[in-house]
Amino acid sequence: MSAETETRDKAPEPITEALIETGLSAAEVPLRRQVKLWARHTNEKSDVASDLMGVLRALHRAVPEDRPLRSLSIGSSDEPQFRLLSAASRGGLWLFDADSSALDVVRARIGRQMLDGVHVVEGDYTADLFSPAAARRTCAERLGNDTFDLIVLHHALYYCDATDWPSFAATLYEVMLRSPGAIHMALMSSTTTEPYTTTWLYNHFAHKFFGHRNTQNLLALQEQLAAQPLFANAQFTQRTQSVAFRCDDFFTFMAVVWMILLYPDGHPYNEAQRREITAFVAEHFWAPKRPLKQVQDYLTIHKP
């Protein structure tokens, strides 16, 4: 039975003023906790890990046996892929992120689990890795003075303009990636038109109130890179996959909605707008018990 059939078979829950107030209060949840709530109630992280496993299998076939994999995770936070990358990267794993509190969690885990090959580095990739000169300096001074077999950017490209992606990818590919090696990226799809998805929800309200739509198209990056001589011998793989978020607590559900809608740092919805959004989510998602779907894209750049 599909999720949509399930929602039709269940009686809708009543929408009360108390429920709306609960949803409004969830707008105050800090971003880091929103991210944790999303990870706890979705299959998105396991889907990312599944796609990443395919990349790791290819690397293990291509890389000489006497060269243990060395990996870099950019914008890593304290994501669950940390464990998978740690196990696969016997040549060392570097976790690079601007969030000191997230890295503190990782540091504690490293000490507790005696993971000597895992290193945390606090930094802003849009400054420290964005140009060839900056990348070389950061590698030499903070990333073990060596290049990497695998570089991952899982939902990290949100934090820079899409027009900068080709030059950033070129820097990673030319300066920081070994041969053979791979760059693995994941991002919410901007091109899906499927209703009741995170993309659809964001576009609906960001466009209505601010005239903005999500234009960060990860899969279009392949075409842009393929036009560069640097990537003449590179191989690209793409995949698009649908995942879902569901929970039995409206506060938690709305906390994730506010994360998707980029409130307040991206879009400062006023009180009336926040109330309209909360009422919409209560009516169209919560009452019929409809999960919030996310269509997400994967792009891997393979360096021969």
Side-chain angles (χ1 to χ4, degrees), residues 4-27:
E4 294 299 321
T5 302
E6 288 184 53
T7 62
R8 290 195 294 269
D9 291 344
K10 295 180 180 179
E13 294 187 8
I15 300 173
T16 64
E17 180 61 23
L19 186 70
I20 300 299
E21 291 297 328
T22 295
L24 290 171
S25 66

Side-chain angles (χ1 to χ4, degrees), residues 74 125 128-136 139 147 151 164-177 183 225 228 230-231 303:
I74 300 172
Y125 76 82
D128 300 327
L129 302 174
F130 232 47
S131 70
R136 290 188 181 94
C139 276
T147 51
I151 300 173
D164 292 324
W165 293 356
S167 61
F168 180 42
T171 293
L172 296 179
Y173 188 88
E174 182 176 26
V175 176
M176 303 183 67
L177 189 65
I183 302 173
L225 296 180
Q228 298 185 32
L230 175 65
F231 293 92
K303 186 176 186 178

Side-chain angles (χ1 to χ4, degrees), residues 202-249:
Y202 174 84
N203 286 340
H204 179 77
F205 286 110
H207 184 261
K208 179 176 182 178
F209 295 132
F210 300 101
H212 190 270
R213 294 185 186 276
N214 178 15
T215 59
Q216 291 186 318
N217 185 354
L218 180 62
L219 299 188
L221 180 59
Q222 174 179 339
E223 185 175 343
Q224 296 170 300
L225 296 180
Q228 298 185 32
L230 175 65
F231 293 92
N233 296 319
Q235 295 180 328
F236 301 88
T237 57
Q238 295 184 353
R239 186 172 77 100
T240 297
Q241 181 69 20
S242 181
V243 298
F245 167 81
R246 66 175 78 220
C247 65
D248 57 4
D249 175 70

Side-chain angles (χ1 to χ4, degrees), residues 43-250:
N43 60 335
E44 187 260 340
K45 300 307 175 188
S46 61
D47 192 73
V48 171
S50 176
D51 201 77
L52 180 60
M53 278 298 299
V55 178
L56 288 168
R57 285 196 298 270
L59 280 176
H60 276 290
R61 289 193 297 267
V63 173
E65 289 187 10
D66 60 351
R67 190 176 101 188
L69 292 186
R70 193 172 188 271
S71 301
L72 169 66
S73 180
I74 300 172
S76 58
S77 186
D78 56 348
E79 293 288 318
Q81 277 75 35
F82 156 78
R83 295 176 174 86
L84 174 59
L85 287 170
S86 173
S89 306
R90 306 320 299 168
L93 168 63
W94 275 256
L95 305 175
F96 189 94
D97 198 275
D99 186 345
S100 59
S101 60
L103 293 181
D104 284 341
V105 173
V106 177
R107 288 187 185 96
R109 188 179 301 154
I110 290 170
R112 186 171 63 250
Q113 299 176 350
M114 296 168 284
L115 302 174
D116 296 334
V118 182
H119 314 273
V120 297
V121 179
E122 185 174 342
D124 178 359
Y125 76 82
T126 64
D128 300 327
L129 302 174
F130 232 47
S131 70
R136 290 188 181 94
R137 183 171 56 253
T138 301
C139 276
E141 297 176 357
R142 309 179 67 194
L143 299 175
N145 196 28
D146 203 351
T147 51
F148 297 91
D149 301 283
L150 173 65
I151 300 173
V152 299
L153 294 113
H154 295 161
H155 300 287
L157 289 176
Y158 296 122
Y159 303 103
C160 66
D161 195 286
T163 58
D164 292 324
W165 293 356
S167 61
F168 180 42
T171 293
L172 296 179
Y173 188 88
E174 182 176 26
V175 176
M176 303 183 67
L177 189 65
R178 291 176 173 177
S179 177
I183 302 173
H184 185 248
M185 311 180 203
L187 206 68
M188 183 178 79
S189 173
S190 66
T191 58
T192 180
T193 57
E194 185 179 349
Y196 302 113
T197 61
T198 54
T199 301
W200 177 87
L201 187 66
Y202 174 84
N203 286 340
H204 179 77
F205 286 110
H207 184 261
K208 179 176 182 178
F209 295 132
F210 300 101
H212 190 270
R213 294 185 186 276
N214 178 15
T215 59
Q216 291 186 318
N217 185 354
L218 180 62
L219 299 188
L221 180 59
Q222 174 179 339
E223 185 175 343
Q224 296 170 300
L225 296 180
Q228 298 185 32
L230 175 65
F231 293 92
N233 296 319
Q235 295 180 328
F236 301 88
T237 57
Q238 295 184 353
R239 186 172 77 100
T240 297
Q241 181 69 20
S242 181
V243 298
F245 167 81
R246 66 175 78 220
C247 65
D248 57 4
D249 175 70
F250 189 61

Side-chain angles (χ1 to χ4, degrees), residues 22-31 33-38 245 247 249-263 278 281 292:
T22 295
L24 290 171
S25 66
E28 306 304 319
V29 174
L31 176 60
R33 186 182 172 202
Q34 291 171 339
V35 171
K36 284 297 185 184
L37 292 173
W38 164 263
F245 167 81
C247 65
D249 175 70
F250 189 61
F251 181 90
T252 298
F253 198 96
M254 281 303 305
V256 166
V257 167
W258 296 123
M259 177 186 73
I260 298 300
L261 296 182
L262 303 183
Y263 174 82
T278 304
V281 173
L292 177 59

